[in-house]
Amino acid sequence: MRLHTMSLLAAAALAVALPVDAQQNGRVVGGAGAVFLVGLPTGELAEQIDVGAGIGFNGHYFLVPSGAFRLRVQGGFIQYGSETHEACFSNTVGCRVRVDVNTANSIAFGSIGPELAFTSGYIRPYINAGIGASYFETASSIDGTDDSQSLGTTRHLQDTGLSITGGGGLYVPLSIRSVPLSLDLSARYHRNGTMQYLRKGDIQDNPDGSISFTPNRTEADFVTVQLGVSVGISRRGQ
């Protein structure tokens, strides 16, 4: 799970950093950004899991010169449950070497679709819709008790489903050294249909060393509330 988180952090950082060099002597043709987000389960999912938190990234490309009509791509990662316990490394080594067993429950998602936006004013509302996928996963990893590198990961349950999204938000334009920068505040509904997933505490350790669990299967819709920044991308020579 650390790998997923690090990959998304790197993608989000690149989404913000790469466009900065493209601002000089050009016309803005899109934007890219990174967000912090909160995942709010709804309906049947809200009866099973808690609120989660994570990060996301997005990008948009102007389909008309004004930027009022755009194509938007968005993705993100939410962790809605985790647990850690200390254990002996193995039956052979015994407890002379101890490790942390970390289990994380997470959701990854991505979508693409149209966006309509106001392109003038101090506050610029927008609405969007998209189609994509959501991925629910529960996995455990072993780390040294001194926070050393992960020694291995086991995925206990994973499920992927079609996701339909819709939402809206506000761009608040700023300017730093002539770079087109906007605060981005939004909310987005993710309709995922029925999914299988595990919650914190669902995995039981048996005396013989095996594990047992019963997957939950319900409607798995949620809302993401997001706050981040978006940096304009320019095309040189325009």
Side-chain angles (χ1 to χ4, degrees):
M1 199 53 55
R2 285 185 177 182
L3 180 59
H4 285 290
T5 305
M6 292 174 64
S7 298
L8 282 170
L9 280 169
L14 286 172
V16 174
L18 288 178
V20 174
D21 291 335
Q23 305 306 322
Q24 300 177 355
N25 302 320
R27 176 175 62 85
V28 175
V29 296
V35 297
F36 293 101
L37 58 87
V38 175
L40 306 172
T42 65
E44 294 179 344
L45 188 63
E47 299 174 1
Q48 303 295 326
I49 70 171
D50 296 326
V51 173
I55 58 172
F57 63 92
N58 59 70
H60 60 265
Y61 181 77
F62 294 175
L63 298 177
V64 296
S66 68
F69 184 43
R70 314 166 175 184
L71 181 68
R72 182 183 178 102
V73 176
Q74 180 160 317
F77 171 89
I78 299 168
Q79 184 169 292
Y80 63 87
S82 65
E83 53 188 306
T84 299
H85 70 270
E86 194 172 287
C88 302
F89 182 76
S90 69
N91 291 333
T92 303
V93 175
C95 292
R96 181 166 296 190
V97 178
R98 302 187 67 84
V99 295
D100 288 329
V101 180
N102 305 302
T103 300
N105 311 101
S106 61
I107 306 169
F109 59 87
S111 64
I112 185 172
E115 179 172 278
L116 295 173
F118 282 90
T119 57
S120 62
Y122 293 108
I123 297 178
R124 303 178 182 181
Y126 64 86
I127 57 173
N128 52 47
I131 185 169
S134 288
Y135 172 77
F136 284 65
E137 179 188 271
T138 295
S140 294
S141 61
I142 298 176
D143 300 322
T145 55
D146 60 352
D147 296 326
S148 58
Q149 186 176 0
S150 176
L151 304 177
T153 300
T154 296
R155 289 175 176 83
H156 306 295
L157 182 70
Q158 50 192 331
D159 195 10
T160 304
L162 179 70
S163 179
I164 305 296
T165 67
L170 302 170
Y171 290 121
V172 181
L174 305 171
S175 181
I176 298 178
R177 296 182 180 178
S178 75
V179 175
L181 177 71
S182 297
L183 294 179
D184 185 0
L185 175 64
S186 66
R188 196 172 180 90
Y189 182 75
H190 303 249
R191 182 174 179 82
N192 302 309
T194 301
M195 302 281 286
Q196 290 192 102
Y197 56 91
L198 295 175
R199 304 166 300 178
K200 177 180 178 179
D202 276 350
I203 298 177
Q204 303 298 317
D205 294 291
N206 301 319
D208 62 359
S210 64
I211 63 171
S212 59
F213 58 82
T214 300
N216 303 281
R217 183 176 176 84
T218 68
E219 294 289 324
D221 304 336
F222 59 88
V223 172
T224 53
V225 178
Q226 309 179 19
L227 175 63
V229 293
S230 180
V231 182
I233 300 176
S234 295
R235 178 176 296 167
R236 294 182 183 276
Q238 299 294 321

